[in-house]
Amino acid sequence: MKYICLGYYDKDKSDCMTEDERNAMFDICFQYDDHLRANGHWVGGEALQSPETALTLHRKNGKVATTDGPYAETKEQLGGILVLEARDMNHAVQLIAQHPALTYGNTFEIRPAGDMTEIIRQSGQRRRKATAR
């Protein structure tokens, strides 16, 4: 089963790290990611640019409006996502609990990925039926 792991970090703490400290953190974290890949648990992942580069979209008065920055102002910022293959939630927790990013004060939120296969199939049937009329 796939699990989406959202990695959060404390921007103030990260900004205080020296280049050597940051490089050491990246090296050990990427080494663990390589371990996940080698054992068939890594499905994918991406880092995110800083929250200042975010653009939040919402509807206002029937039109799409945008706001610079993330949706919520929080101390911890979403830094990236990791898609993990695990037997169950306990296994996902065991795998992420070993991630070195935790030793640097980062946190992970783990959520099971939703299987949209049947919902997509049914939607396709409805759309085909609607266009056939």
Side-chain angles (χ1 to χ4, degrees):
M1 182 169 186
K2 288 188 180 93
Y3 291 86
I4 309 303
C5 306
L6 305 172
Y8 294 90
Y9 70 101
D10 181 328
K11 185 173 177 347
D12 292 337
K13 187 174 180 179
S14 177
D15 288 346
C16 291
M17 293 175 82
T18 67
E19 184 177 354
D20 287 343
E21 291 170 330
R22 192 173 293 108
N23 288 340
M25 178 189 71
F26 285 139
D27 292 350
I28 195 165
C29 288
F30 294 150
Q31 182 178 4
Y32 186 69
D33 292 346
D34 289 343
H35 169 76
L36 292 172
R37 278 185 199 88
N39 289 286
H41 299 298
W42 178 274
V43 177
E46 293 293 335
L48 298 174
Q49 291 186 12
S50 70
E52 294 81 22
T53 65
L55 190 64
T56 302
L57 280 69
H58 59 278
R59 283 210 174 266
K60 186 174 184 176
N61 301 323
K63 295 184 179 184
V64 174
T66 61
T67 304
D68 290 339
Y71 179 71
E73 290 293 325
T74 62
K75 183 176 181 178
E76 291 185 331
Q77 299 295 328
L78 181 60
I81 62 167
L82 186 158
V83 182
L84 192 67
E85 183 68 39
R87 290 184 304 275
D88 54 30
M89 179 62 90
N90 287 335
H91 187 218
V93 168
Q94 288 172 354
L95 293 169
I96 292 301
Q98 298 174 55
H99 202 291
L102 293 172
T103 64
Y104 289 90
N106 297 343
T107 59
F108 283 97
E109 176 182 342
I110 304 172
R111 294 190 197 183
D115 183 357
M116 300 291 289
T117 306
E118 183 60 21
I119 295 168
I120 292 168
R121 187 190 66 73
Q122 291 174 3
S123 175
Q125 287 178 337
R126 289 190 300 271
R127 289 178 281 137
R128 282 190 297 280
K129 191 183 289 185
T131 56
R133 293 182 193 168

